[in-house]
Amino acid sequence: MCGVSISTSARADSDATTEQDVPPLYVVGDVHGQAGPLVAALTEAALVDDDGHWAAGRTRLWFLGDLTDRGPDGVGVVELVRRLGVEAREVGGMVDTLLGNHEILLLGSRKFGDELIDMPAGARSFLTTWQLNGGRDSDLAALTDEQADWLRSRPALALADNHLLAHSDTLAYLEYGDTVGSVNRALRAELDGDDATRWWDCFRQLTRRHDFRGEGGEERVGRLLDILGGSRLVHGHSPIPEQLAVDPAEVTEPLSYAGGRALSVDGGLFAGGPCLVTRLPYPG
Ligand SMILES: [Mn+2]
């Protein structure tokens, strides 16, 4: 259930300037409440020790959103990521997460409950939609104000070592801005507000997917990267086993596609796939 994809440095002789000074960079895709497999995978990758504490010094670890829902202990995953963030910061490292569509869904359920939101396709509520998409009542009951505020204030996008990190494989981020900073600020401003319809629109936009697949996919991801920066998009949200039409248990590594300009790292953990802990840059 746990897979570790650690690349050796393939660019040692092409980028020798600061290679020695740049601490390792890892990403983890959609955990969806699977705290146990996550800890096992982080342990196997030597990012945490046998007691589950940060053991990787200055290493940077980005989660790509969707920490909760579908699996048994979403709030446990949130707490783990927050604690590792504190432990890593104490030794010069970094652990953080991006905002995924399920964070907005869970937080929207907490904030708006079953309040009906008028949409062209009919009225919706966050709570019902969340329940239909794997929401766990135990997570909603356990989530504290502090955890909710922390989740709500996570960025939607990050740039790290020339990688554009995002939850979803979509151009929808461009609806909010044309730089990483402006997209993050715009989404943050929406979620600081109390308008259920605007929250719903954020959820809907971040739920879009598959924009970089098939014909024209390479051109579309190139456009995203040209605007927002980075030479490769690294994303979660759309499970690799679904993209490859294989059994989740057969997935062992991230999926490079769109001419190598997109890298999917969501192993489909919730459906029985591996918890991929991927070191960047990933070869291929
Ligand atoms: Mn998602």
Side-chain angles (χ1 to χ4, degrees):
M1 290 289 290
C2 310
V4 182
S5 311
I6 302 174
S7 76
T8 53
S9 178
R11 46 167 206 163
D13 53 10
S14 62
D15 182 12
T17 47
T18 57
E19 189 78 20
Q20 297 301 318
D21 301 325
V22 178
L25 172 65
Y26 287 81
V27 291
V28 173
D30 310 37
V31 179
H32 279 310
Q34 299 284 351
L38 171 61
V39 170
L42 294 176
T43 306
E44 190 182 343
L47 298 182
V48 302
D49 63 22
D50 288 342
D51 297 320
H53 292 288
W54 183 249
R58 296 171 61 229
T59 293
R60 297 156 296 158
L61 170 60
W62 273 106
F63 289 83
L64 301 185
D66 281 11
L67 299 181
T68 67
D69 305 341
R70 305 197 191 283
D73 191 10
V75 171
V77 174
V78 170
E79 256 326 279
L80 175 66
V81 172
R82 276 163 53 87
R83 176 174 59 75
L84 291 178
V86 171
E87 293 176 358
R89 195 156 53 238
E90 286 171 354
V91 293
M94 189 227 73
V95 178
D96 206 343
T97 185
L98 300 178
L99 194 66
N101 58 316
H102 275 267
E103 275 74 33
I104 301 176
L105 195 52
L106 171 65
L107 294 169
S109 298
R110 191 171 189 272
K111 186 176 179 68
F112 301 109
D114 57 6
E115 175 184 328
L116 287 175
I117 304 163
D118 284 323
M119 302 300 296
R124 302 273 192 279
S125 82
F126 270 107
L127 188 64
T128 303
T129 303
W130 173 73
Q131 288 166 338
L132 288 171
N133 284 277
R136 295 289 186 108
D137 290 339
S138 52
D139 279 343
L140 197 53
L143 193 70
T144 66
D145 289 346
E146 186 182 356
Q147 291 163 342
D149 286 344
W150 179 81
L151 273 183
R152 191 174 52 80
S153 58
R154 294 307 89 202
L157 298 171
L159 278 169
D161 296 357
N162 213 26
H163 297 84
L164 177 64
L165 310 183
H167 175 67
S168 305
D169 44 332
T170 179
L171 291 166
Y173 293 102
L174 299 177
E175 303 289 327
Y176 294 93
D178 57 7
T179 64
V180 165
S182 64
V183 170
N184 288 338
R185 284 190 295 275
L187 271 161
R188 174 70 187 273
E190 296 287 48
L191 300 180
D192 279 345
D194 297 321
D195 186 323
T197 304
R198 297 184 75 101
W199 269 66
W200 184 270
D201 202 55
C202 295
F203 163 66
R204 186 179 62 82
Q205 296 285 13
L206 263 63
T207 302
R208 285 169 52 183
R209 51 164 41 105
H210 299 172
D211 284 355
F212 313 120
R213 296 191 192 178
E215 192 176 345
E218 183 175 350
E219 182 273 328
R220 288 188 294 274
V221 73
R223 179 150 47 95
L224 184 79
L225 293 165
D226 284 347
I227 294 170
L228 296 177
S231 60
R232 193 182 212 184
L233 172 70
V234 180
H235 70 82
H237 187 50
S238 297
I240 294 166
E242 175 254 335
Q243 184 161 357
L244 295 178
V246 300
D247 190 293
E250 294 177 25
V251 173
T252 58
E253 59 186 13
L255 176 65
S256 176
Y257 68 104
R261 304 210 70 189
L263 186 73
S264 175
V265 298
D266 176 7
L269 181 56
F270 79 92
C275 180
L276 298 174
V277 177
T278 302
R279 185 168 178 178
L280 301 178
Y282 187 78

